[in-house]
Every structure is written in C-alpha cells, then in structure tokens.
Amino acid sequence: MSVTWRHLPAPAREIALAATEAVEAARSRDIEAYDLSTARLATTERSGVVLGSVVRLLLEEAHPDGLDSDDVRRVLERSVRSASSWQPDVDPHVMLVLLAGALGVYDPDGDDSPPDPAAVARHAPLLVVDLLAATGQPVESYLGAAFAEIERTERHD
C-alpha cells in the first residue's frame, strides 16, 4: 500500500513517514532499518504525541468496553516479551510509561526517570506493532486518525 501524506504540514509528514518506516521495520524485525527510522523519530518534534495517540486508538479498538489493570498488564507483558526476542534492550518501564501516557494517567513529574525522546521513539513502534496484530489494519489508518484528532484538539484549545 502506498500512502501519501502530502496534505500534512512538513513536520507531520516527517513523523508519519518515520513512524510508518519504524513500524514496518519492527514488524519485519529488520534491526538496521529499525535503528535508522527510530533515530529519525527521536529527532522529530511531537512524534511521541502522535505515537501516543496511535497507541490510545489501538487500545480503544482492542478494548471497546475499557481497560482494567489486568488488560494493561497483559498488553505490557505481551509487548515486552515479543519485542525482547529481537530487541533485547527493551525496557518494560518505558513500555509502561507509553501505555500510561496513551491512557492519560502518566505524570512525568512523579517519575524519577522519565524516558527521553530517544527511548520513546525506540519503544513506541514496538508497542504499536504488538497492538496492530490484533486489528489487522495498517498503521497508516491509525496515523491518519491520530493526526485528525490532534488537529481537532488543537483547534479547540
């Protein structure tokens, strides 16, 4: 599938392209491509916000009746286990922060070691790939929905 992001401003296009490349590299477990695309994501402002929105949309779709702590634990365990088979330095704390942030319950001020943008960029695509496995949908549709939601929120603020 070829998706164009021409309708997006340049910074958003960069996020969309880097995120799509990172997710595809994670899906195929291509370490070199993953390292390149996540390094690009780490330097792209607001990529964490976009990927957090994608994670939230995926969680909402997979759990339409809401998530409880057992659901969050299962997602965390499954995603860390899956990712660690080819990314041995995956950090469960960063994955938990991503989940909590996507759900709106993460307070970075209360975290002694909040993840930096590079850690978010390296872990978010791993979580997205795990959650995408349940939907069977391409990441592009969730990115499109995330950008639309962010734009809507910014217009109302």
Side-chain angles (χ1 to χ4, degrees):
M1 169 192 279
S2 175
V3 174
T4 106
W5 302 102
R6 291 179 202 196
H7 66 285
L8 295 174
R13 274 195 314 267
E14 178 66 20
I15 293 169
L17 291 171
T20 301
E21 289 172 4
V23 167
E24 290 308 315
R27 191 176 273 153
S28 64
R29 297 181 176 207
D30 182 335
I31 293 171
E32 185 178 331
Y34 190 74
D35 289 346
L36 289 171
S37 58
T38 58
R40 203 164 125 206
L41 266 178
T43 62
T44 307
E45 188 176 337
R46 300 196 63 188
S47 62
V49 172
V50 173
L51 289 168
S53 293
V54 169
V55 168
R56 187 184 53 69
L57 291 166
L58 285 162
L59 288 169
E60 287 176 353
E61 185 170 327
H63 302 275
D65 296 329
L67 279 91
D68 61 22
S69 60
D70 289 336
D71 294 325
V72 172
R73 187 184 76 250
R74 278 191 292 276
V75 169
L76 179 63
E77 288 174 352
R78 186 185 65 232
S79 62
V80 168
R81 189 175 301 116
S82 174
S84 65
S85 67
W86 71 284
Q87 289 286 314
D89 61 341
V90 67
D91 185 340
H93 173 73
V94 176
M95 296 290 255
L96 180 59
V97 166
L98 292 170
L99 283 167
L103 296 170
V105 295
Y106 174 67
D107 177 16
D109 295 332
D111 189 346
D112 292 337
S113 58
D116 62 16
V120 170
R122 288 201 56 77
H123 286 74
L126 301 172
L127 183 56
V128 169
V129 165
D130 181 72
L131 294 168
L132 279 171
T135 69
Q137 298 295 317
V139 69
E140 291 87 356
S141 60
Y142 294 96
L143 280 166
F147 282 117
E149 184 176 278
I150 291 166
E151 179 183 26
R152 203 171 29 257
T153 301
E154 288 178 353
R155 283 190 181 169
H156 286 80
D157 285 347

